[in-house]
Amino acid sequence: MKRNLLVFFRDKASVFFSLLSVFIIIGLYLLFLGDVMKSNLEGEEAGTLIDSWIMAGVIAIAPITTGISALGIMVEDRKLKIYKDFYASPLKRSSLAGGYILSCFTISLLLTLVTLIFAEVYIVVNGGELLSWTALAQVLGIIILSDFLSVFVLYFFVSFFKSSNAFSAAATIIGTLIGFLTGIYIPMGSLPDAVQTIVKIFPPSHAAMMLREIMMGPAEETVFKGVPETSVEDFQLLMGSLFKIGDFVIQWWHSLLYMLILGILFFLLSMWKMSRKTS
């Protein structure tokens, strides 16, 4: 684990590109998306509301984009046959896999926390307020659960890659699609029904939904003060801070349970993959 952390953070370019998707989304928001979305709302808190919406989405995708970059070390070790040196040492195969997983979790968590700090600074600089301690604790809990899920999902799929070219292509595709699959580039309610269904199945979208509900809450109360609840619900469905399947409203604990079950499932699949002999 220590070796993987040193290898990752020694390569400054790797650290930068792991956050590239985050930078791209923020750049698009500053140049195009922000003004368009804010123009549809009135009130002093409208800017803070939309800023909180985009930053919640950025935090939600960080575990995926940073985690897959961290696991690039494992693919590179296979490409250069470095793993054979580890196998020749008195090191258990499970310890080797565990090192990749723990280092990936640590890197993903640290960089996601950096993203959270950046998001809070951005919101405050633009006239918003810092999260309350209660809201911050809830956000941190969601980040940890999202990292847990992301690491095991990514480890399971990345463990099948033996070519750095194939891995790079997959990482590029994920980095490109992640904004659409979490409803960041286009508000979820504006997407076709079939695409909305895919978004609701995609686990990071549930993290984004919960983060939006927490981070947008205070500004939302101010902006929609005196507005009928149906109008508020329509806005939440449009922006992806509320999910509905038919007439069934997905509560926050449904999303937590969904993410936890998937995390445990991919944890078991990863353990199974570890137990198999790899070439």
Side-chain angles (χ1 to χ4, degrees):
M1 174 183 172
K2 179 181 177 181
R3 174 259 180 187
N4 293 339
L5 291 175
L6 291 173
V7 169
F8 181 82
F9 285 108
R10 184 179 60 191
D11 186 352
K12 302 300 188 294
S14 179
V15 177
F16 172 79
F17 282 108
S18 68
L19 293 169
L20 185 59
S21 294
V22 170
F23 296 144
I24 290 174
I25 290 171
I26 293 174
L28 290 173
Y29 174 69
L30 291 174
L31 293 173
F32 307 106
L33 302 177
D35 291 338
V36 173
M37 293 178 180
K38 291 176 184 179
S39 65
N40 297 322
L41 296 172
E42 298 180 356
E44 296 180 358
E45 292 291 324
T48 301
L49 180 63
I50 300 303
D51 288 342
S52 299
W53 173 77
I54 192 70
M55 290 303 157
V58 166
I59 294 168
I61 69 167
I64 297 288
T65 58
T66 58
I68 198 166
S69 293
L71 286 173
I73 298 171
M74 183 172 70
V75 178
E76 192 69 12
D77 286 348
R78 286 183 174 179
K79 174 186 174 183
L80 300 176
K81 307 297 182 182
I82 293 175
Y83 71 94
K84 291 187 176 182
D85 295 332
F86 292 129
Y87 289 166
S89 68
L91 182 69
K92 293 182 180 179
R93 196 178 298 266
S94 59
S95 298
L96 177 61
Y100 289 126
I101 289 172
L102 289 174
S103 60
C104 177
F105 179 84
T106 303
I107 291 167
S108 178
L109 182 59
L110 286 174
L111 294 182
T112 304
L113 292 177
V114 170
T115 305
L116 171 62
I117 293 171
F118 175 84
E120 284 296 280
V121 170
Y122 179 89
I123 290 171
V124 171
V125 168
N126 284 277
E129 296 182 357
L130 290 172
L131 291 170
S132 67
W133 290 109
T134 301
L136 181 60
Q138 293 172 336
V139 168
L140 291 175
I142 294 169
I143 286 174
I144 292 172
L145 177 59
S146 183
D147 277 329
F148 167 77
L149 170 61
S150 299
V151 165
F152 285 109
V153 171
L154 290 172
Y155 176 83
F156 179 73
F157 286 108
V158 172
S159 64
F160 291 97
F161 287 98
K162 296 180 182 179
S163 164
S164 58
N165 290 334
F167 171 76
S168 297
T172 301
I173 293 172
I174 291 173
T176 303
L177 293 178
I178 191 75
F180 292 102
L181 293 176
T182 50
I184 296 177
Y185 296 139
I186 301 174
M188 196 184 78
S190 301
L191 297 170
D193 291 341
V195 180
Q196 287 190 41
T197 300
I198 295 173
V199 171
K200 291 171 186 176
I201 295 173
F202 192 52
S205 296
H206 287 262
M209 181 196 74
M210 291 185 288
L211 289 170
R212 287 168 182 153
E213 183 179 359
I214 295 168
M215 296 178 68
M216 294 170 62
E220 193 175 84
E221 290 180 2
T222 303
V223 172
F224 292 97
K225 187 176 182 179
V227 175
E229 290 186 9
T230 53
S231 298
V232 178
E233 183 177 295
D234 289 341
F235 175 78
Q236 292 173 337
L237 290 171
L238 171 67
M239 303 304 286
S241 59
L242 179 69
F243 285 178
K244 286 181 74 173
I245 299 177
D247 294 327
F248 180 75
V249 177
I250 298 177
Q251 303 294 334
W252 63 268
W253 64 270
H254 294 143
S255 295
L256 284 178
L257 186 61
Y258 176 62
M259 292 174 66
L260 184 60
I261 290 173
L262 284 179
I264 293 173
L265 172 62
F266 278 94
F267 166 77
L268 295 174
L269 288 172
S270 297
M271 295 301 104
W272 167 76
K273 193 72 172 62
M274 287 182 202
S275 66
R276 299 186 64 195
K277 183 176 180 180
T278 57
S279 58

